[in-house]
Every structure is written in C-alpha cells, then in structure tokens.
Amino acid sequence: VAADSGAPGSDSRKSGRPTMRDVASAAEVSLKTVSRVVNGEPSVAPELAVRVRDAIDRLHYQHDIGASMLRRSDRRTETIALLLEDVGNPFSAALHRAVEDEARSRGVQVLTASLDEDPQRERELLRIFTMRRVDGLIIAPVSPDQGNLHNEMRTDAPMVFVDRPGNDVAADSVLATNVTGAAEAVRHLIAHGHRTIAYLGDYWRITTARHRHEGYLTALGEAGLPADPRLVVHDLHTAAEAERAVMSLFRRPQPPTALFTSQNLVTIGAVRALRRLQLHREIAVIGFDDFPLADLLEPAITVVAQDPAMMGRTAAQALFRRIDGDTGPPEEFWIPTTFIRRGSGELPPSPRPAAPATTAL
Amino acid sequence: VAADSGAPGSDSRKSGRPTMRDVASAAEVSLKTVSRVVNGEPSVAPELAVRVRDAIDRLHYQHDIGASMLRRSDRRTETIALLLEDVGNPFSAALHRAVEDEARSRGVQVLTASLDEDPQRERELLRIFTMRRVDGLIIAPVSPDQGNLHNEMRTDAPMVFVDRPGNDVAADSVLATNVTGAAEAVRHLIAHGHRTIAYLGDYWRITTARHRHEGYLTALGEAGLPADPRLVVHDLHTAAEAERAVMSLFRRPQPPTALFTSQNLVTIGAVRALRRLQLHREIAVIGFDDFPLADLLEPAITVVAQDPAMMGRTAAQALFRRIDGDTGPPEEFWIPTTFIRRGSGELPPSPRPAAPATTAL
DNA sequence: CTGTTAGCGCTTTCAA
DNA sequence: TTGAAAGCGCTAACAG
C-alpha cells in the first residue's frame, strides 16, 4: 500500500481525478508539501513551490474542499443556508441578492431554498442543512414553534431570523418596522379625510401580517375611529384572492373610501379590482411593500417601502459576526420602512357611495 | 486507539458532535450497523435497528453528508450549481425557482450565484464549484469563449446552458426562440402600418440581444423596409440608459413611430421616456420579455413573453438526465415565446412627426 | 444478518 | 523547512 507512494513518474492512478498524492509524486515532494502550497502556507521553499504548481497545472489537479473540510480544525464548510418564502418573488430575490454579495466578500457560498409557508418543509430543510454542516443559517421562519424546532434540530450553527421573528429562539433577528410603517400609512389616509378604511392582509398566521394589522388598528385608535371588523379581510395570499375580496367589499352597503393593503400581491389584486370597478381614481390605496412600476400606474401607487436589500445585508453581517465567535446577547435589527407618496394614497374620500356594481347581489 | 472503540456506556468524547462511533457504542452494535440503519439498508434485524435509532435520538446524532460523500462510490454531493445573471432580477429569480423545484424532487440542493456580466467572476465561480464537487452546473454564460473556459476548468461535471448558448461547448442548451419571437413582434408593428421602427437593445455582446436584433432585421427585410442604423441603439442595460436613449431618439428629425425594446428594463425605460414626452399614446411599443403589471399600464404593454420557469425546469431535467449517465449528443431545447397583445403594440402610426421637445437642440 | 478492515482526500501533529 | 504517520466521519469490500 505505502509501497508505491513515493514512486516518481508512473501514473499509478486507475482513473478519476488526480489527488494530492498524484501531484506529490509528480512533483517529487511529499504530500504535505503539496498541501502547504495549495493552502498558501508560507513555509515552502520557492523552488519546491514552483515544482508543485507545475505539477498541479500539468495534471489539472482540483482541490477537494469537501475532503479538506473534514480534517480541518475549524470544520468550516464556507457555506451558509438561506431559507426564504419563495426565491422567485421580488422581495425574497432582492434579499437573496444582498446576502449573496455579503457572502461573496467572505468567499462563502449560499444554499437557498423556498419554504412556501410549509412548516414541514422548514423542518426538513433545517435537517438537511444541518447534515450538510452549513456554517450558519438565515431564515424567514414559517413555524410558530421555532423554539421546539430549533432545539430538536440541535443545529449548533448560528442562526439569524430575517423578515419574521424567530419566536422565543435566542438569536439575532432583522425585522422591518411593520407596526409603525403600517400605522404611518393609515394615519396618512386619515389625514386625507378618510374615515372608512379597509385592511386587506395576508395569512393571519404570518407574523408580519399581524404586525401590519396592529399598526392599522393603532392608527385608527389614535384618531378615535372605530375598528369595523367588516372592513378587515385576512388570509389573502395571492393577487386573485385579493381581487375577489375587494370586489365583494364594494358590493356591501357601506364600502370603504380607502384601502390599506398589507402585501405586494394583495396591493396588485386590489388595484386590479378597482380598475374593474372603475374606482381606481375614487378609492385611495396605500400598499405595504413597494413593487416595480408602482410609479407608472395611474394613479401611481403610494406605498410603505421595505428595504429587502438592507435586510439581507444586515442579516448576513450579523450571521458572520456570530460565525466569527460573537456570543453577545441576541440583537434585534430594525430596518426602517419608507413612506412614498405617489398619488393613490392622496386621493380624497369619494363623495358618492361608490358604484353599486351588481344590484342583484 | 481501537482499545476504547467497543467500550459501552462511558462517553469517550472530548466534545463536539456525536459520530457514528458514539452511536455504535451507545447502541452496542458495530459502526457498520449504524451506517446501515442510517442509510436505510434493509438487511438489519428490527431489534438492532430500534436500538440504533434510540441511540441516535438520545445522542442527537446528525449524519454528516460531506464525510459520507467522500467514501461513497458514486461520489455524489447531491448538489448542483446555478449561475445566473443576477438572482435578484425577475427573470433569473423565476428560473431559479423552477430549478429549485426540480432539484427538490431529487433531494438535490442548489448553490446559486450571480455573474453580473462579469467573465472573471464566471471563471472564478466555475473553479469554486468544481472544487466543491457539484454534480452538475446550469449556467447562463457570460464569456464569449466558453469553450476555453470549460476546457481549462476540466469540470467533468455535466453542464447545461440556459438562456444563452454555450458557444462551441458540447453540452445541452435551453434557449428561448429569440429570433422568431422578435421577428413576430416587428412583423406585428409593420402590419399595423409602422414603417419607422426603432430597435433598442441590450449589450451587443450578449447573444440573446444579438438574436433579437437579428429578428428585427429579418422582419424589416421581409417587408422590404430599409434598416436604418439611426433607428438602432445597442448596449442599453438599465432602465435609465434606455430612457435617455429614447429621449434623444425623439429629438431627431425623423423619429420612429414604433419601438421594439429587446429587454425588460429597456422596455420600462422606454415607457418612462414616452410618458415624459407625452407620447405614450402615440408611439407603439412592443417589449421582449414580459414583466409584472405590464397589463395595468396605460396603454398596457404588448410583449413577447418568455417562459423562464419552463426554461429552468427544462434545464434542470436535462442536467439530471446527464447526471444519470445519458451520454447522447448535445441537445438544444427551444422554449417558445408567446406574443401577448395588450394595446401598446396595436397603436397606429402617429400622423404628426412627434413633439419637437427642446427646439434649441 | 453482522462485524472487521481498509481507505476516500485531505489536514493535523509531531518528529527530523 | 520538510515529511511520515495518524485520523476527520463515513462507506466499500469482504469476511464471519
């Protein structure tokens, strides 16, 4: 076995990729010297280093990061996991990009996955990424019982929550100012004279949706306006659902004069419905979360913009601090939202009680 | 060394995560039996299997995929790389999502990275992913010299090109019907009476941009229309650049009556410019590549829609076929574009010679 | 069905 | 500065 290890020229390889041993014998040095050159350790005689590098080029040697990680003392895979709602949606995609940039500057690779609001998928991915020994995780959690989940997994890799809090897990979190941002929007509508403001929100189980609803209620409360439950619709997750919800809202006797939509797709669905009802110049709309072309619609859509790139960057930076050994108490990073006036949020209350739509209903 | 391997209860661990050996001694079986249970090999007595699983739960053992891969005969990492222009843009994000879904169904993880049109970054990432021993790569290439790149890398992992062809590399590719899609759009404009049609395109070096320009020329040629180089602007990569280009186009003596924009952001920039010039109801526009809310603009934007999800799915399926050992000749998969009439492409040629903008210029 | 031995490709430890 | 030996956590090959 060890007999042919020093044998110089002859390729004792059966097939497959060349290893450090092959390079060593080609360069007529020890395996360890090759390792030193590959890892850029300084204590190698220049002459030997040249011989090694020559052999590497000649054999097209490719270092195996996986194998090296196995023996390394730090056991770093230089890999982090990013678990988002859906890598295909604009918010997640922007956040992903920011994380990638931050990771790139550290030579770290990113494994991304979409959770689709599925708790089972979340636990499965947590298991998989633990088995892959990622150095850390950034996660927009789905499960309400993050705590159990995390314990159960025994993922000793650091974790940072983004967009949504990791309920009772002691870890950093990066969150948008959902409550105050939503309240600001609703206050703006009230200041423009609206008294009947509908709330259209995402799944109630999603923390951010609850927070935005809370901001809505706060602003109403401040103004001494009643919180009419008939003006509140939860659990809208797609544009189509939101469109239907708005259509039926305007079939009611006392329709709202303004809408606060708590999410991207809901805003778009609402705008679609108002167009169909020919009410888009009558009914005020403010959406939470900005979206491309919001400024080109007529009227342009007033929004509470989030900053997904900043959230991603902040989360990645926090994670890398933990990976680097920071053991301070968990921190919360609040990423401010930006209120952007564009027109739809500045429409005054429509005098007439809105179109009767289908009288039969 | 081997002395304590069989020692039952006492934890001989110094620290860190438990290994199969720990599980083996806790369950009082051999290491190999644990391996069998973990890998779901059937030939284990139920009683032993239970003991092993108990020990796994008790010690919170977590299988190490990296270590297992090192010794496995297939040497699969169950990982693929996905190299896209920018994971943050809608086209890439949608494609990414489709690849993820396809990979998920095989238990494969996806490492994604953005190339930003940077050839150096492309070669660096190719090197990194080779060192990580991904099972395969899906790539929207940047370099014109893919051939050299690929050779140089000696990435024996299969590769599939998506969105852009991998020039003279013998590998599968998944491409949109850029030439015919573009020609269809321009034919449509011609059919609506336009004779002066501008082409606004992305970086000339990008293959898809060249193909779309080719389609533009084809349609003009068929109709016997001259190809006026003053109506062609290349190398527009952002909405702002496109906006400026369109503004200056309409300062000229013979402005076009219609625009064909060869890319998302260019379309949006063009629409912005037409709005500023108050020409959005005069000048026809057809964009290549659909975008959200294109139907809500006024006029709604007629487009040649691509199908990024289909492209991602097709690419992933092709890649997995190769990973599974298919060694047939390289294939080209053409994903058809869909022409979507929405209004902006159906505007007739504007009779008056368009606004004079700034007379001083 | 179960266990033993060897060794994946690399880094560590320690001696020369 | 260089190298030999040991072993990371696991699976393959071959015994019992």
Side-chain angles (χ1 to χ4, degrees):
Chain A
V1 170
D4 72 356
S5 82
S10 62
D11 61 317
S12 51
R13 308 299 311 153
K14 2 179 181 298
S15 72
R17 224 188 287 272
T19 74
M20 270 193 182
R21 262 188 58 195
D22 302 316
V23 175
S25 66
E28 299 184 300
V29 295
S30 82
L31 196 164
K32 176 70 226 198
T33 299
V34 179
S35 170
R36 286 193 177 98
V37 171
V38 167
N39 289 288
E41 291 173 36
S43 60
V44 176
E47 190 205 282
L48 285 194
V50 168
R51 246 159 58 201
V52 169
R53 266 187 278 271
D54 273 7
I56 285 175
D57 290 347
R58 216 163 49 229
L59 303 183
H60 299 287
Y61 168 75
Q62 299 277 14
H63 192 57
D64 187 326
I65 294 185
S68 104
M69 166 279 202
L70 189 60
R71 192 60 173 94
R72 265 219 163 73
S73 46
D74 60 5
R75 314 249 20 212
R76 293 261 180 90
T77 54
E78 306 295 331
T79 290
I80 61 172
L82 178 61
L83 277 60
L84 298 172
E85 170 163 10
D86 172 9
V87 297
N89 83 33
F91 179 85
S92 297
L95 201 153
H96 177 192
R97 184 45 146 100
V99 169
E100 179 193 339
D101 289 342
E102 210 61 37
R104 183 197 309 189
S105 71
R106 305 225 340 174
V108 165
Q109 241 49 47
V110 183
L111 284 159
T112 327
S114 303
L115 296 177
D116 295 327
E117 302 296 340
D118 179 353
Q120 192 180 319
R121 177 140 180 72
E122 179 175 41
R123 80 191 311 112
E124 186 187 319
L125 283 167
L126 234 43
R127 204 175 58 84
I128 288 172
F129 288 129
T130 303
M131 298 199 312
R132 288 192 181 267
R133 301 292 190 263
V134 295
D135 299 334
L137 304 274
I138 296 175
I139 169 166
V142 172
S143 302
D145 65 331
Q146 270 313 116
N148 291 336
L149 198 56
H150 189 234
N151 271 341
E152 188 181 300
M153 288 303 160
R154 285 280 195 291
T155 308
D156 56 359
M159 209 157 161
V160 170
F161 296 102
V162 69
D163 185 43
R164 306 177 186 183
N167 309 306
D168 44 68
V169 174
D172 297 334
S173 54
V174 178
L175 303 166
T177 53
N178 287 296
V179 179
T180 59
E184 186 178 1
V186 177
R187 258 182 232 120
H188 185 83
L189 291 169
I190 293 170
H192 281 262
H194 294 277
R195 294 295 174 267
T196 324
I197 304 169
Y199 168 91
L200 298 159
D202 206 329
Y203 293 139
W204 174 247
R205 82 178 107 89
I206 300 180
T207 326
T208 51
R210 286 203 302 275
H211 287 171
R212 290 166 200 173
H213 180 244
E214 185 186 330
Y216 163 81
L217 292 180
T218 302
L220 291 185
E222 286 167 5
L225 292 175
D228 184 345
R230 287 166 306 178
L231 292 172
V232 171
V233 187
H234 292 296
D235 298 318
L236 304 172
H237 196 61
T238 65
E241 285 166 15
E243 188 173 344
R244 276 195 294 277
V246 170
M247 295 299 286
S248 82
L249 210 53
F250 283 94
R251 278 195 213 104
R252 309 255 194 86
Q254 297 288 338
T257 64
L259 309 179
F260 172 58
T261 52
S262 98
Q263 186 248 75
N264 236 326
L265 296 173
V266 174
T267 308
I268 292 167
V271 169
R272 286 228 156 82
L274 293 178
R275 292 278 179 113
R276 284 178 59 186
L277 296 166
Q278 294 291 321
L279 289 174
H280 55 296
R281 295 181 201 280
E282 320 284 329
I283 303 299
V285 174
I286 302 185
F288 202 104
D289 199 9
D290 200 6
F291 52 93
L293 274 60
D295 60 318
L296 287 183
L297 298 182
E298 291 170 12
I301 308 298
T302 296
V303 298
V304 179
Q306 302 192 77
D307 190 344
M310 174 68 102
M311 294 174 77
R313 199 177 323 128
T314 307
Q317 287 166 350
L319 182 63
F320 288 128
R321 256 193 313 273
R322 297 299 179 177
I323 290 175
D324 289 342
D326 177 353
T327 56
E331 284 190 71
E332 284 185 341
F333 300 91
W334 292 98
I335 310 301
T337 53
T338 310
F339 189 76
I340 306 178
R341 285 176 172 71
R342 290 205 181 106
S344 75
E346 289 70 39
L347 294 174
S350 175
R352 57 179 169 118
T358 325
T359 354
L361 290 179
Chain B
V1 169
D4 72 356
S5 81
S10 62
D11 60 318
S12 51
R13 308 299 310 154
K14 0 179 182 298
S15 71
R17 224 187 288 271
T19 74
M20 269 193 181
R21 261 187 59 195
D22 302 316
V23 175
S25 67
E28 299 183 299
V29 296
S30 82
L31 196 165
K32 177 69 222 195
T33 299
V34 178
S35 171
R36 286 193 177 101
V37 171
V38 166
N39 289 289
E41 291 172 37
S43 61
V44 177
E47 190 205 282
L48 285 194
V50 168
R51 249 163 54 203
V52 169
R53 265 188 278 271
D54 273 6
I56 286 175
D57 290 348
R58 218 163 46 229
L59 304 183
H60 298 287
Y61 168 76
Q62 298 277 15
H63 192 56
D64 187 325
I65 294 185
S68 106
M69 165 279 202
L70 188 59
R71 192 57 174 96
R72 266 220 160 73
S73 46
D74 60 5
R75 312 251 19 211
R76 294 261 181 91
T77 56
E78 305 296 331
T79 291
I80 61 172
L82 178 61
L83 277 60
L84 298 172
E85 169 163 12
D86 173 7
V87 297
N89 83 32
F91 180 85
S92 297
L95 201 153
H96 176 191
R97 183 46 146 101
V99 170
E100 179 193 339
D101 288 343
E102 211 60 38
R104 182 197 309 190
S105 71
R106 304 224 342 172
V108 166
Q109 242 48 49
V110 183
L111 283 160
T112 329
S114 303
L115 296 177
D116 294 327
E117 301 296 339
D118 179 352
Q120 192 180 320
R121 178 143 178 70
E122 179 175 41
R123 79 189 315 109
E124 187 187 318
L125 283 166
L126 235 42
R127 206 176 54 85
I128 288 173
F129 288 128
T130 303
M131 297 199 312
R132 289 194 179 268
R133 302 292 191 264
V134 295
D135 299 333
L137 304 271
I138 296 175
I139 169 166
V142 173
S143 302
D145 64 332
Q146 271 312 118
N148 292 337
L149 198 58
H150 189 234
N151 271 342
E152 189 179 301
M153 288 304 159
R154 286 281 195 290
T155 307
D156 55 359
M159 211 156 160
V160 170
F161 296 102
V162 68
D163 186 41
R164 306 175 186 184
N167 308 305
D168 45 68
V169 175
D172 297 333
S173 53
V174 177
L175 304 166
T177 53
N178 286 296
V179 179
T180 56
E184 186 178 0
V186 176
R187 257 182 234 122
H188 185 82
L189 291 169
I190 294 169
H192 280 263
H194 295 277
R195 294 295 173 269
T196 323
I197 303 169
Y199 168 91
L200 299 158
D202 206 328
Y203 294 138
W204 176 246
R205 83 178 106 89
I206 299 180
T207 327
T208 51
R210 286 204 301 277
H211 287 172
R212 291 165 199 174
H213 181 243
E214 186 187 331
Y216 162 81
L217 292 179
T218 302
L220 291 185
E222 286 167 3
L225 292 174
D228 185 344
R230 289 166 305 178
L231 292 173
V232 171
V233 187
H234 290 296
D235 297 320
L236 304 172
H237 197 60
T238 65
E241 285 167 15
E243 189 173 344
R244 277 194 296 276
V246 171
M247 294 299 287
S248 81
L249 210 53
F250 283 94
R251 278 194 213 103
R252 308 252 195 86
Q254 295 291 337
T257 63
L259 310 178
F260 172 60
T261 53
S262 98
Q263 185 248 76
N264 236 327
L265 295 173
V266 174
T267 308
I268 292 168
V271 170
R272 286 226 156 82
L274 293 179
R275 292 278 179 115
R276 283 178 58 186
L277 296 166
Q278 293 291 322
L279 288 174
H280 54 295
R281 296 179 200 282
E282 319 286 329
I283 302 300
V285 174
I286 301 184
F288 202 105
D289 199 11
D290 199 7
F291 53 93
L293 273 60
D295 60 318
L296 287 183
L297 298 182
E298 292 170 12
I301 308 299
T302 296
V303 298
V304 180
Q306 302 192 76
D307 191 343
M310 175 70 102
M311 293 174 76
R313 199 177 324 130
T314 307
Q317 286 167 351
L319 182 63
F320 287 128
R321 254 192 315 272
R322 296 300 179 179
I323 290 175
D324 290 343
D326 178 353
T327 56
E331 284 189 70
E332 284 185 342
F333 300 91
W334 293 97
I335 309 300
T337 52
T338 310
F339 188 77
I340 306 179
R341 285 174 171 74
R342 291 207 182 103
S344 74
E346 289 69 41
L347 295 172
S350 175
R352 58 181 169 117
T358 326
T359 355
L361 289 178

